[in-house]
Amino acid sequence: MSLPPAAKPAAAGRPAGRGGAPARRGRDRRAEILPAVPGRARVPAADPPRVAVVGGGIAGLAAATALAERGVRVVLHERGAELGGRLSGWPTVLADGSAATMSRGFHAFFRQYYNLRGLLRRVDPGLGMLTPLPDYPLRHADGPRDSFAKVPRTPPWSALGFVARSPSFGWRDLAGMDPMAALPLLDVRVPGVYERLDDVSAARFLDAVRFPGAARHLAFEVFSRSFFVDPRELSAAELALMFHIYFLGSSEGLLFDVPAEPFPQALWDPLRSYLEGHGVQVRCRDAVESVRPSADGGRVAVLGATGERTYDGVVLALDTAGLRELVASSPALGDPPWRARIGALRTAPPFLVSRLWLDRPTAPGRPGFLGTSGFGPLDNVSVLHAWEGEAARWAAAHNGSVLELHAYAVDPAADRETVQRRLVHELHRVHPETRAARIVDARHEWRTDCPLFPVGGHQARPTVRTPSPAVILAGDLIRTALPVALMERAATTGFLAANALLERWGVRGQTLWTVPRRGRTAPLRALSRMADRTP
């Protein structure tokens, strides 16, 4: 799917649409609209193409949605029991007999996630399933707490406002930085940022900028570890891209929304009903074992647990390990260089999500989410009962609390029981009132399935298109020419995958949105480009 050469400025005053140019999705008037390639509205009703979407996470759901809305017959294969991918949830019974929903942990739905939020608007145009958190606080063990609650949202006032209000990063710290080394943060362009910074680690880049320690921990390492990787391994291009998306490139701000109920109830059950209403066959616990393109590349045979079927197109919306395994078991898929690149993809280190049901409340005023640094392996704490309905009902019924602890990028050699105990110990430092609480029950989820974005790895990552025209990729591991990350990258590439297939059949695809694809301040952009040309 080729992107249009120029994006249109965001238009206001019209209601959001599912295919045409929608109204402005957020507050940022510089957000860009990327219209799909023109074509007819739907595929022929008499003989619609058939597409298999492999993977029921955000990317697969976005692809299935865009295809089904245009009349394509879609079969969605998900090897797990639930939809949602890394945002799935499943029922569990606690030691006290209470029913609960467990998941793989907290996710922030930022207002910059235009395409993900557009997907969710299919089932609730007002996004009533999301609730805003009033702050994004960050705390270092050796310093005061920072907050983004009152920081201006429009660049460059956002950065200046943070400096003016931050107790850990002031004007003296700003003056001590290397302004020339920091210029790439002010002129992020995709894919140019990868040409400039992909061969440098995030940690090395921060050293070159001379970022002060406390602010580095709070404003940058919290971001980099959201990629489930140590800053010494993360590409500096990804770090700069995040700074652009969330801080200097968008005026949506750094505050975010969270689901008001567990993921299945709030998001995926309603979206599944929506898809089935559009004729999608949703098949959970139905893993695909291999795919085999036809000799001319126009069709694809898909082998699964229920046998082999032939489709006019396939979207592989899998995580890194799943894509590697499926390509390895599909010897006719792709050419040798492409297959080698897929085989070399890596996953990030393990991460842990610990959820605790405690027999007493937390102190009043505890934030719903707190990013942490300097507390051993603990990267953040969610006071889940402060914003999720199911947790709030349990806490009210038991005069207790429900907390969630995250540890990203855990050493693979670490003893897991020790890490779990350490998280609870660090929780007691962060929220001291929890020391006296009894743990009614606990769940510890260890996973190692997030993509790794290592130094120098951008060019080797796959794009939406593959050497087989009828086989398309989607997911947060996919390389794209848009400034998107995390869940928004998954949703965006899902729509791009659908658009690539729809373009083959002469059908207009999904209109996309993005934060601006370059820095917002012209003088700073010019200065950055001059620095590029300086010997």
Side-chain angles (χ1 to χ4, degrees):
M1 175 68 184
S2 57
L3 294 175
K8 297 180 180 180
R14 282 174 292 178
R18 292 187 180 127
R24 186 159 53 91
R25 286 279 175 86
R27 71 182 298 272
D28 189 352
R29 295 185 179 276
R30 295 193 186 182
E32 297 179 13
I33 299 175
L34 292 89
V37 174
R40 60 180 182 267
R42 295 175 62 84
V43 300
D47 186 24
R50 300 176 72 247
V51 171
V53 175
V54 185
I58 291 173
L61 292 168
T65 297
L67 291 165
E69 287 174 344
R70 289 152 182 83
V72 178
R73 294 171 61 191
V74 178
V75 179
L76 177 60
H77 298 263
E78 166 54 47
R79 65 183 174 187
E82 307 286 345
L83 297 178
R86 295 191 204 105
L87 272 73
S88 64
W90 55 93
T92 188
V93 178
L94 305 182
D96 66 355
S98 301
T101 306
M102 187 56 193
S103 72
R104 298 155 49 99
F106 171 89
H107 283 74
F109 288 69
F110 286 92
R111 283 78 186 263
Q112 294 91 327
Y113 291 177
Y114 301 120
N115 299 316
L116 173 59
R117 294 164 81 92
L119 174 65
L120 299 179
R121 289 183 195 277
R122 264 63 172 194
V123 296
D124 183 353
L127 295 178
M129 78 283 280
L130 301 179
T131 186
L133 290 190
D135 194 5
Y136 181 0
L138 305 169
R139 180 183 170 191
H140 191 277
D142 298 327
R145 193 172 84 176
D146 276 271
S147 167
F148 289 99
K150 296 182 179 179
V151 172
R153 290 187 286 181
T154 301
W157 313 115
S158 50
L160 297 175
F162 178 73
V163 173
R165 294 177 180 275
S166 172
S168 60
F169 181 77
W171 299 108
R172 182 176 297 179
D173 297 309
L174 185 65
M177 293 169 54
D178 183 336
M180 297 302 288
L183 281 176
L185 295 175
L186 308 175
D187 183 32
V188 171
R189 290 161 285 163
V190 178
V193 66
Y194 293 99
E195 298 167 3
R196 300 174 79 178
L197 293 177
D198 195 46
D199 290 331
V200 180
S201 75
R204 181 180 163 195
F205 175 74
L206 295 176
D207 288 341
V209 172
R210 297 202 297 266
F211 226 81
R216 171 173 170 162
H217 283 297
L218 292 172
F220 287 90
E221 290 198 3
V222 169
F223 279 157
S224 70
R225 292 179 72 84
S226 70
F227 272 91
F228 303 93
V229 64
D230 188 284
R232 291 170 295 185
E233 283 200 74
L234 179 70
S235 163
E238 293 291 344
L239 184 69
L241 182 66
M242 283 188 285
F243 193 72
H244 175 79
I245 292 170
Y246 301 112
F247 207 50
L248 273 184
S250 170
S251 65
E252 302 294 351
L254 262 169
L255 301 184
F256 50 79
D257 303 320
V258 289
E261 293 291 343
F263 297 134
Q265 296 91 310
L267 309 177
W268 312 133
D269 292 347
L271 191 55
R272 175 173 184 160
S273 296
Y274 177 85
L275 289 172
E276 290 176 336
H278 281 74
V280 176
Q281 297 181 44
V282 179
R283 298 178 177 174
C284 292
R285 296 191 177 93
D286 188 4
V288 168
E289 299 172 9
S290 67
V291 297
R292 187 181 70 254
S294 60
D296 63 1
R299 305 193 79 196
V300 186
V302 174
L303 177 63
T306 57
E308 184 175 286
R309 292 177 174 82
T310 300
Y311 294 90
D312 300 291
V314 171
V315 176
L316 303 181
L318 299 166
D319 61 25
T320 303
L323 181 61
R324 281 200 315 253
E325 292 166 6
L326 186 58
V327 169
S329 64
S330 306
L333 177 60
D335 55 32
W338 181 85
R339 293 177 60 83
R341 289 196 298 273
I342 298 298
L345 293 173
R346 298 165 56 197
T347 53
F351 69 92
L352 167 64
V353 176
S354 290
R355 188 173 297 181
L356 310 177
W357 288 262
L358 305 180
D359 71 345
R360 63 188 61 199
T362 51
R366 292 298 188 197
F369 176 83
L370 176 67
T372 59
S373 185
F375 291 93
L378 181 67
D379 285 296
N380 57 63
V381 178
S382 296
V383 178
L384 202 62
H385 62 268
W387 46 268
E388 187 198 84
E390 181 183 274
R393 291 187 290 274
W394 187 92
H398 297 80
N399 192 32
S401 55
V402 185
L403 303 180
E404 189 175 273
L405 319 176
H406 282 201
Y408 301 145
V410 179
D411 183 346
D415 179 76
R416 294 190 170 188
E417 293 286 342
T418 300
V419 175
Q420 291 167 192
R421 289 194 298 269
R422 179 72 185 279
L423 284 196
V424 176
H425 171 76
E426 298 299 336
L427 168 66
H428 296 162
R429 294 177 61 201
V430 175
H431 294 335
E433 71 275 13
T434 61
R435 289 193 183 107
R438 179 178 65 87
I439 298 176
V440 176
D441 209 341
R443 297 288 184 275
H444 305 285
E445 288 292 324
W446 285 91
R447 302 295 172 113
T448 315
D449 56 5
C450 293
L452 180 66
F453 302 104
V455 176
H458 175 73
Q459 201 60 34
R461 281 163 47 199
T463 61
V464 167
R465 294 189 182 275
T466 77
S468 303
V471 179
I472 309 296
L473 304 185
D476 61 354
L477 63 97
I478 301 302
R479 172 163 53 101
T480 179
L482 294 176
V484 289
L486 303 171
M487 292 189 291
E488 179 69 350
R489 182 179 281 156
T492 300
T493 57
F495 285 130
L496 285 171
N499 287 1
L501 291 175
L502 292 168
E503 187 178 347
R504 294 178 63 208
W505 303 316
V507 177
R508 183 178 66 251
Q510 172 69 42
T511 296
L512 297 176
W513 283 70
T514 179
V515 301
R517 286 186 281 178
R518 62 177 188 174
R520 300 174 72 95
T521 308
L524 294 177
R525 293 201 307 267
L527 184 60
S528 179
R529 287 191 287 272
M530 288 176 58
D532 277 350
R533 293 192 292 269
T534 301

